[in-house]
Amino acid sequence: MYYKEIAGVKVSALGMGNMRLPTLDGKDDNINREKAQEIIDYAMSHGINYFDTAYRYHGGQSERFIGAALKAYPRESFYLASKFPGHMMVKKEGGMVGFTSGLAGWPDNTVEGVFKEQLDKCQVDYFDFYLLHNMSEQSLTIYDDPDLKVVDFVKRMKAEGKIRHLGFSSHASSAQTIDDFLTRHEGVFDFVQIQLNYLDWKLQDAKGKYEAIVKHGLKVVVMEGVRGGRLANLPEEQLAKLQALRPGDSAARWALRWLQNLPEVAVVLSGMTTLEQITENVETFAAPNPLNEEEKALLREVADSMLNWVPCTACRYCTEGCPMELEIPRIIAAYNGMKNGDFMARYDPDTADPSLDPRRCVGCGACASICPQSIRIPEILAEFADMLTKRPPFPPRR
Ligand code: SF4
Ligand code: SF4
């Protein structure tokens, strides 16, 4: 494992994301603790020292899990990062309430109350890194609110030693939003966590966001480096091009090596679900191995061929409030597949699970209001339903 720095702290170049831990019974809030603990133990024994969680991950269970999982290790042997869930809050008299607070494990509290609950859930006295979760055009109503004073609060917690380093994550639509927020709060933050990968460099202006952060002299923590697994599962034609140049290297390794070309990237987070994934990723980060010019050009070509994809990262934020219990990210993956002629093209909702049938969407819009990628989900599902209606029937399976 090689290491980089955030504000003088030596952090592992690969960080452990805790939003895609293995689960039981297909339930996101039912973490398979035995398997997940194996992954954390592997991480600790292979040099990973940065562990990222958030209030909302795994329906509120990720913080509980990682707090317990790291309990066996000396506190100074790991860095724990968590996030204040302002992006999912609305203001009410006397504080805030989670706008999906009908679900178990959601805050209905003051800023102080949420923070204390997070320390308790993680079984720690302080966070090494603490972020405002998804500072964006929408969540500024909370983060800039003059009564809630969220930024003042986290600064105070830092002064009291309960936070060592401050940052924020962002899925803002515009790089300008990040730039403006940093300018308003110059000197407060040490790092910013953004969605960064070779596809979003152009598709979601990750380039502009990276440059805005670097302009303020800050480090970048990467989320969605393989886009929720999408860049690990490329269409066959694209994968063949990569493997012709580097036989044996997976698509995920290409995506992660691309990130090694960016000097101000400190930590690349990966939400690793299996021991196989973490084993491969640890190998990829054994030493820096950035892409050469020929490899960069090829990956640009691959990215350009995917620019019409719906940019879903499979974060699953949208599924929690869907009244029809639709598996929205899987439906969007099928939609992308059908549009781009890859392996999902045989997707047949008549024989699939009802949760995979876009025709069952009632267009309520609950999903779109929560999607960090600002995907117009009901419109995509309606278009997909229309495509399925017009498609000729599949030949019978043999
Ligand atoms: S718009 Fe459709 S997919 Fe979205 S929450 Fe409503 S029913 Fe579910
Ligand atoms: S549609 Fe949006 S909220 Fe839903 S899984 Fe994809 S990126 Fe996440």
Side-chain angles (χ1 to χ4, degrees):
M1 180 64 52
Y2 69 96
Y3 294 85
K4 308 261 312 224
E5 271 193 20
I6 300 178
V9 176
K10 196 175 144 201
V11 288
S12 52
L14 173 66
M16 174 74 208
N18 288 277
M19 72 175 281
R20 292 194 170 91
L21 295 164
T23 54
L24 292 166
D25 311 324
K27 294 199 177 87
D28 191 48
D29 62 356
N30 192 6
I31 296 168
N32 184 334
R33 287 175 174 258
E34 199 180 320
K35 279 201 158 40
Q37 182 75 52
E38 282 174 13
I39 293 170
I40 300 303
D41 292 341
Y42 189 94
M44 285 298 291
S45 61
H46 288 79
I48 293 177
N49 66 11
Y50 192 104
F51 294 82
D52 173 85
T53 183
Y55 192 100
R56 69 159 326 281
Y57 292 170
H58 286 290
Q61 296 305 313
S62 174
E63 285 182 329
R64 285 188 207 289
F65 163 74
I66 193 66
L70 291 171
K71 203 68 191 156
Y73 297 94
R75 181 65 186 88
E76 63 281 4
S77 65
F78 59 84
Y79 299 120
L80 182 60
S82 195
K83 311 186 189 78
F84 182 79
H87 67 310
M88 304 195 82
M89 313 291 278
V90 288
K91 193 178 167 191
K92 67 163 196 176
E93 209 174 320
M96 311 162 308
V97 58
F99 62 73
T100 49
S101 57
L103 297 166
W106 284 98
D108 183 352
N109 215 325
T110 58
V111 180
E112 293 80 355
V114 172
F115 182 72
K116 181 175 180 321
E117 184 189 340
Q118 291 185 285
L119 287 175
D120 290 347
K121 279 163 78 181
C122 291
Q123 304 184 51
V124 292
D125 301 324
Y126 64 91
F127 287 114
D128 302 278
F129 297 93
Y130 193 70
L131 303 89
L132 308 181
H133 202 157
N134 192 12
M135 186 290 299
S136 70
E137 291 80 4
Q138 292 76 31
S139 62
L140 281 176
T141 52
I142 291 290
Y143 292 135
D144 273 351
D145 184 274
D147 301 322
L148 292 172
K149 297 188 174 60
V150 178
V151 176
D152 286 349
F153 172 76
V154 291
K155 279 162 69 180
R156 197 164 74 244
M157 290 303 99
K158 187 175 177 189
E160 289 179 15
K162 292 180 182 159
I163 293 171
R164 297 278 164 93
H165 298 285
L166 277 172
F168 62 87
S169 65
S170 183
H171 290 284
S173 319
S174 153
Q176 193 63 47
T177 304
I178 294 177
D179 194 0
D180 291 347
F181 193 69
L182 286 171
T183 301
R184 281 203 296 287
H185 301 291
E186 201 72 63
V188 171
F189 299 106
D190 296 308
F191 67 106
V192 182
Q193 181 171 319
I194 55 168
Q195 177 169 322
L196 181 53
N197 54 64
Y198 69 83
L199 179 58
D200 285 317
W201 192 245
K202 215 190 243 184
L203 188 65
Q204 298 212 348
D205 192 25
K207 177 175 186 285
K209 295 171 188 172
Y210 174 84
E211 288 170 354
I213 297 162
V214 172
K215 187 179 86 178
H216 287 269
L218 305 184
K219 294 292 177 188
V220 174
V221 171
V222 171
M223 57 182 160
E224 305 295 0
V226 288
R227 253 191 165 275
R230 287 289 166 276
L231 300 182
N233 294 295
L234 294 177
E236 263 173 42
E237 190 190 338
Q238 308 303 341
L239 183 62
K241 283 183 197 166
L242 300 183
Q243 296 202 322
L245 199 58
R246 285 181 73 95
D249 268 13
S250 69
R253 179 163 290 172
W254 274 85
L256 296 173
R257 284 184 57 228
W258 180 87
L259 291 164
Q260 296 178 356
N261 285 67
L262 298 169
E264 301 310 318
V265 164
V267 180
V268 174
L269 294 172
S270 178
M272 295 170 278
T273 313
T274 64
L275 276 178
E276 289 72 26
Q277 285 169 353
I278 194 168
T279 303
E280 178 180 329
N281 287 351
V282 163
E283 274 173 30
T284 304
F285 283 87
N289 183 18
L291 302 183
N292 62 33
E293 289 308 316
E294 184 188 9
E295 291 168 341
K296 276 198 278 186
L298 180 56
L299 219 45
R300 259 197 308 275
E301 198 186 300
V302 169
D304 286 347
S305 74
M306 296 190 291
L307 288 176
N308 66 341
W309 281 23
V310 175
C312 173
T313 60
C315 69
R316 300 186 61 81
Y317 289 7
C318 54
T319 56
E320 288 166 2
C322 176
M324 304 307 289
E325 299 185 348
L326 290 173
E327 280 289 331
I328 298 164
R330 290 177 63 192
I331 295 173
I332 292 177
Y335 170 87
N336 278 332
M338 183 171 277
K339 289 267 262 199
N340 292 287
D342 74 7
F343 69 100
M344 291 299 289
R346 209 195 142 85
Y347 175 75
D348 184 355
D350 286 330
T351 56
D353 188 295
S355 68
L356 296 175
D357 188 346
R359 297 168 301 185
R360 293 182 58 246
C361 170
V362 295
C364 67
C367 50
S369 63
I370 215 167
C371 174
Q373 312 293 328
S374 305
I375 297 170
R376 300 190 314 273
I377 300 167
E379 286 175 39
I380 300 289
L381 266 53
E383 187 196 331
F384 193 15
D386 191 47
M387 281 161 63
L388 292 168
T389 309
K390 290 178 180 151
R391 183 187 59 182
F394 287 118
R397 286 181 191 275
R398 289 169 191 274

